[in-house]
Amino acid sequence: MDSQTTRFDLTRRQLLSRCGMGAGMLGLAGILQDERLLGAAANAATAGANPLAERQPHFLPRAKSVIWLFMNGGPSQVDTWDYKPELAKRDGLKLDGLDPETGFFRDAVGGLMKSPFRFRQYGECGKWVSDLFPHLSGHVDKMAFIHSGYTKSNNHSPALFMMNTGMTRMGFPCAGAWVTYGLGCESNCLPSFVVMSDPLGRGVPKGHASNWGTGFLPSVYQGTWLKPAGEPVDNLKRHEVMTDAQQRRQLDLISQLNQQHLEDGRNAEFDLAARVESFELAYRMQTAAPEALDVNLESDHVQKLYGLDNEKCAPFGRQCLIARRMVERGVRFVQIYSGGMANQASWDGHADIVGNHSGFAAETDQPIAGLLTDLQQRGLLDQTLVIWCGEFGRLPVAQTGPQPGRDHNPHAFTAWLAGGGARGGVSYGETDEIGFKAVTNRVSVHDLHATILHLLGMDHTRLTYRYSGRDFRLTDVAGNVIHPIIA
Amino acid sequence: MQSAVYRQDSNHDRADAKLDPQNVWLWRFGPRRLEAEVIRDSLLAVSGLLDAQMFGPGTLDADSRRRSIYFTVKRSKLMPTMTLFDAPQALVSQGRRISTTIAPQALLLMNSPQVRNYATGLAGRVTPQEAAGSEHVVNRLYEITLGRAPRAAELAAAVAFLRQQSEAYQQRQSDGHRPTEEAGEIALVDLCQAMISLNEFIYVE
């Protein structure tokens, strides 16, 4: 049994949690001004009636929410944002010292291959960008580029887990789960962590639900995966036989009977009282969630901005627009995967890098540019951190075949951050002159995570959860905030 | 586990509750929410839909009617009903099952076709052969779901609900909407769904 103090602690927390659910006890937060009573430490979230109650960050945040655009499969840095003229000069030459096991297909290692895409300079910062991104290239002055990213695996699932959880093994909490654990849920009728995957039937990222799981954190922190087909969220639609009035009468009966149960000496049982309120919240969610997902409520002008009138990019555009509608309504962490599960169904351009990357860039370029423009026009970009990355980069050598591609490369990838406190127009870190390995100011995935948490107002070394006898972090025992990319 | 405190029952006592409303001094075994598996098994059991067959291979079919222990644990394909009620994700060992109260749990009980199905099953168990009256139905429902007879106020509330809900469905039918079942039967399913949503059903004392 818990000690007496723990029990008191629990009850206070439950009491406060009721405030987070929006009814009845709103005055209480003012009464319990003592910070210790308010349970500001994220550690306090292990139990209690509403573990999603909003919590204070460690310090003043730059970003309130995150939209993470995950280019699933591993986009090639040298064909997108990491311009390497030297690679063109050495086109066709053998890369000396290359371990043939670096990628995935040791028998298909070709010579160095120049980018088939043309690069030009854009923006005041003069950033070199390939022709893959005719729309995004107009936004380089908003982006902070990290060219020196590296990861720990050359295989999709472990690299996806690494990017999402900081560990290459499955079973650890994702960044979105950590953020929800640390900050709670701002919206009282929408989830805090939402994930969207490919809507064109090409599959989910490898490792499936582990990419939005909570590991050892309480299950409530797991991402809500919007199903790409059918009803996106379970149980939002009441049974067809019922009208609103009939459901309301049913909920009133539940509430009345629960109330009698409570008044029979159980008024102090906060779990039970919270459960009564959870039905009211659920009732509100039935209208709030479909409203947030309905992009048809947006003007023609906005829909066009995201490319909804263009068949090629409309599916991803719709997801980007949903993401904006969600962060606008208090959703904290949205992840959108571009591409489906395997090889040519994602950015995994083993064969035909031209066709593969051209296709996925065409699906995402205008929608992401539209998102950045729209966020800025609404004054949301300052408080919304937009992240673009994959799980790893690709090799500067060709993967041989009828139409050459590029194999996996854990030694270098490019990511960019925009908005939410990221410094626009800067490029941080460098790869070697052919884009093979990160060499200057190397950025680990832990560093990236530490920076994301920092922008959200959290010290990555203090966001801990005790499990299995020790305190765990998103950044394990590593991670340095990349201050030069922060505005 | 041999201590008097651990072994005491959960019976409520007004005098004790007045002295120690939050049960800080452990004058009774506090109410506990059922675990995910037990909630689903209980729903199946009261609905009469439970397939009690033992042994054999597990399943990933969410519509299975066997006990929840027969769900295959596939790490990449978690059972939403289970994780919703805090079943661990089974990726790493878990020393202690936590218990949360969140709105999606309420949504499941309100809107899930499965739960509606369980409520329909339960309604089938209490529908009287001849018109024995709604009081009889409510008594029987309380017996099945909560293991006790309703108090006067509860009985009155449930009977009034059946009447009003049934009238509302009749009204809709006459307005040209045509639900497939009879208005009274739908109202009874609504009541059954309310019963299995109650705190008293989901929490044990």
Side-chain angles (χ1 to χ4, degrees):
Chain A
M1 258 298 147
D2 293 326
S3 71
Q4 183 204 337
T5 19
T6 313
R7 288 194 61 83
F8 263 120
D9 189 42
L10 261 178
T11 311
R12 274 202 305 259
R13 200 181 302 138
Q14 288 166 340
L15 209 74
L16 286 160
S17 299
R18 292 190 69 197
C19 305
M21 301 191 79
M25 306 191 77
L26 288 170
L28 199 64
I31 298 165
L32 300 176
Q33 277 169 348
D34 183 335
E35 215 197 5
R36 280 171 298 141
L37 294 187
L38 282 169
N43 268 348
T46 50
N50 180 16
L52 297 172
E54 201 173 356
R55 282 178 290 278
Q56 292 302 309
H58 298 138
F59 43 82
L60 199 65
R62 303 298 298 273
K64 273 178 71 180
S65 36
V66 174
I67 298 177
W68 187 324
L69 307 159
F70 205 117
M71 303 299 118
N72 186 34
S76 164
Q77 68 283 9
V78 296
D79 297 309
T80 51
W81 313 101
D82 196 6
Y83 177 50
K84 292 293 163 186
E86 184 62 24
L87 181 59
K89 289 183 196 152
R90 297 199 210 163
D91 186 44
L93 299 179
K94 186 167 179 279
L95 175 55
D96 287 328
L98 172 68
D99 176 356
E101 303 281 355
T102 307
F104 220 66
F105 295 91
R106 61 163 300 142
D107 297 328
V109 179
L112 288 166
M113 177 170 74
K114 68 177 182 185
S115 178
F117 305 103
R118 190 176 157 195
F119 280 71
R120 293 172 227 248
Q121 279 183 295
Y122 296 90
E124 284 179 27
C125 62
K127 187 72 191 169
W128 289 91
V129 182
S130 88
D131 282 352
L132 281 172
F133 303 120
H135 291 87
L136 274 174
S137 48
H139 295 265
V140 288
D141 290 327
K142 297 187 185 77
M143 301 170 181
F145 291 91
I146 298 168
H147 287 305
S148 51
Y150 66 94
T151 187
K152 286 184 181 169
S153 175
N154 68 345
N155 189 6
H156 293 291
S157 306
L160 274 155
F161 298 152
M162 183 72 204
M163 194 51 90
N164 282 319
T165 73
M167 296 282 185
T168 51
R169 287 164 287 142
M170 62 181 358
F172 294 89
C174 292
W178 276 109
V179 167
T180 308
Y181 161 67
L183 299 175
C185 188
E186 193 196 0
S187 164
N188 71 355
C189 28
L190 291 171
S192 172
F193 173 22
V194 173
V195 180
M196 290 178 258
S197 62
D198 185 63
L200 299 175
R202 294 175 295 193
V204 291
K206 287 185 176 174
H208 305 238
S210 301
N211 288 303
W212 47 90
T214 59
F216 45 73
L217 288 182
S219 300
V220 285
Y221 301 120
Q222 93 166 336
T224 299
W225 176 55
L226 299 184
K227 283 184 281 186
E231 292 295 322
V233 182
D234 285 334
N235 308 322
L236 274 180
K237 262 194 170 157
R238 69 172 165 262
H239 193 270
E240 56 191 4
V241 76
M242 276 185 173
T243 62
D244 179 53
Q246 282 150 353
Q247 183 174 54
R248 193 57 256 179
R249 187 182 291 112
Q250 187 194 36
L251 292 176
D252 288 344
L253 177 72
I254 294 172
S255 171
Q256 187 189 345
L257 295 176
N258 277 338
Q259 209 59 46
Q260 285 173 18
H261 182 243
L262 271 178
E263 280 162 17
D264 193 21
R266 296 180 185 84
N267 276 321
E269 311 281 5
F270 292 108
D271 275 354
L272 299 181
R275 194 166 177 276
V276 174
E277 279 158 26
S278 74
F279 277 87
E280 294 309 314
L281 179 51
Y283 179 70
R284 291 199 298 275
M285 279 178 79
Q286 290 181 136
T287 42
E291 192 268 344
L293 293 171
D294 190 355
V295 296
N296 294 323
L297 297 172
E298 297 285 336
S299 69
D300 271 4
H301 159 74
V302 171
Q303 293 192 24
K304 279 192 182 135
L305 189 61
Y306 287 79
L308 296 199
D309 56 342
N310 171 345
E311 202 183 333
K312 181 77 177 165
C313 64
F316 195 81
R318 201 167 285 118
Q319 292 176 317
C320 286
L321 185 45
I322 287 171
R324 193 221 78 215
R325 288 178 65 82
M326 291 205 153
V327 299
E328 216 173 20
R329 286 159 179 73
V331 174
R332 187 88 62 187
F333 205 99
V334 184
Q335 242 178 344
I336 313 175
Y337 286 91
S338 160
M341 187 180 278
N343 300 353
Q344 297 306 109
S346 71
W347 287 79
D348 195 19
H350 287 285
D352 185 18
I353 194 76
V354 177
N356 175 277
H357 273 34
S358 301
F360 285 98
E363 288 182 17
T364 53
D365 176 49
Q366 189 186 349
I368 299 174
L371 175 67
L372 293 174
T373 303
D374 195 23
L375 285 172
Q376 188 171 45
Q377 283 173 356
R378 284 163 200 264
L380 287 170
L381 189 60
D382 288 343
Q383 59 189 53
T384 308
L385 177 64
V386 181
I387 305 169
W388 184 102
C389 71
E391 67 268 39
F392 42 52
R394 308 202 79 84
L395 290 173
V397 297
Q399 179 174 335
T400 52
Q403 284 161 316
R406 294 191 195 274
D407 206 341
H408 309 171
N409 180 6
H411 301 306
F413 66 80
T414 290
W416 58 254
L417 278 57
R423 184 194 293 269
V426 298
S427 294
Y428 182 79
E430 286 174 40
T431 49
D432 54 33
E433 52 193 359
I434 51 167
F436 174 37
K437 289 183 176 175
V439 288
T440 313
N441 291 327
R442 286 160 54 83
V443 171
S444 70
V445 175
H446 301 304
D447 298 337
L448 183 60
H449 287 158
T451 308
I452 294 167
L453 292 183
H454 178 85
L455 291 171
L456 287 163
M458 285 183 286
D459 175 349
H460 70 104
T461 64
R462 284 164 64 200
L463 183 67
T464 63
Y465 186 84
R466 176 139 300 203
Y467 164 73
S468 194
R470 77 157 168 104
D471 285 341
F472 277 80
R473 312 192 323 222
L474 171 60
T475 51
D476 195 15
V477 293
N480 292 302
V481 176
I482 315 162
H483 288 285
I485 64 164
I486 296 173
Chain B
M1 289 175 95
Q2 293 297 310
S3 75
V5 172
Y6 189 82
R7 288 186 295 168
Q8 70 191 335
D9 62 31
S10 60
N11 284 345
H12 199 268
D13 182 280
R14 277 170 196 275
D16 286 340
K18 210 167 180 181
L19 286 172
D20 176 18
Q22 293 170 5
N23 192 26
V24 171
W25 299 101
L26 302 176
W27 51 268
R28 68 161 179 158
F29 207 125
R32 286 161 298 156
R33 204 200 68 205
L34 299 177
E35 294 166 316
E37 294 85 344
V38 185
I39 290 173
R40 182 179 163 278
D41 292 358
S42 305
L43 290 171
L44 278 167
V46 299
S47 71
L49 297 172
L50 180 70
D51 174 355
Q53 191 209 335
M54 290 173 74
F55 310 117
T59 180
L60 278 169
D61 175 13
D63 293 326
S64 159
R65 291 177 175 184
R66 301 186 68 195
R67 287 183 55 206
S68 309
I69 198 170
Y70 291 105
F71 277 141
T72 301
V73 176
K74 190 168 166 60
R75 297 176 300 181
S76 58
K77 199 170 177 232
L78 300 165
M79 211 45 81
T81 318
M82 296 293 106
T83 49
L84 200 53
F85 287 101
D86 310 305
Q89 306 210 331
L91 292 153
V92 286
S93 63
Q94 199 81 2
R96 180 178 165 205
R97 184 78 70 101
I98 57 147
S99 173
T100 62
T101 302
I102 51 167
Q105 295 165 353
L107 279 172
L108 176 96
L109 290 163
M110 288 159 62
N111 295 337
S112 140
Q114 266 168 9
V115 170
R116 188 73 188 174
N117 201 23
Y118 301 148
T120 309
L122 177 57
R125 290 183 70 193
V126 297
T127 308
Q129 294 305 311
E130 63 267 21
S134 41
E135 290 198 5
H136 169 80
V137 167
V138 173
N139 275 313
R140 184 86 184 98
L141 258 182
Y142 264 79
E143 201 178 294
I144 294 174
T145 54
L146 305 179
R148 65 172 177 87
R151 296 184 185 88
E154 292 168 332
L155 182 62
V159 168
F161 171 81
L162 274 179
R163 182 173 41 80
Q164 290 167 357
Q165 197 77 336
S166 170
E167 281 168 10
Y169 282 121
Q170 267 163 13
Q171 184 61 42
R172 283 195 79 204
Q173 277 172 325
S174 60
D175 288 349
H177 299 274
R178 303 195 333 122
T180 48
E181 299 100 322
E182 289 294 313
E185 284 173 26
I186 305 168
L188 178 58
V189 175
D190 290 354
L191 176 62
C192 290
Q193 193 177 10
M195 292 300 298
I196 56 182
S197 301
L198 291 180
N199 278 348
E200 199 176 341
F201 184 76
I202 301 288
Y203 277 76
V204 274
E205 288 201 349

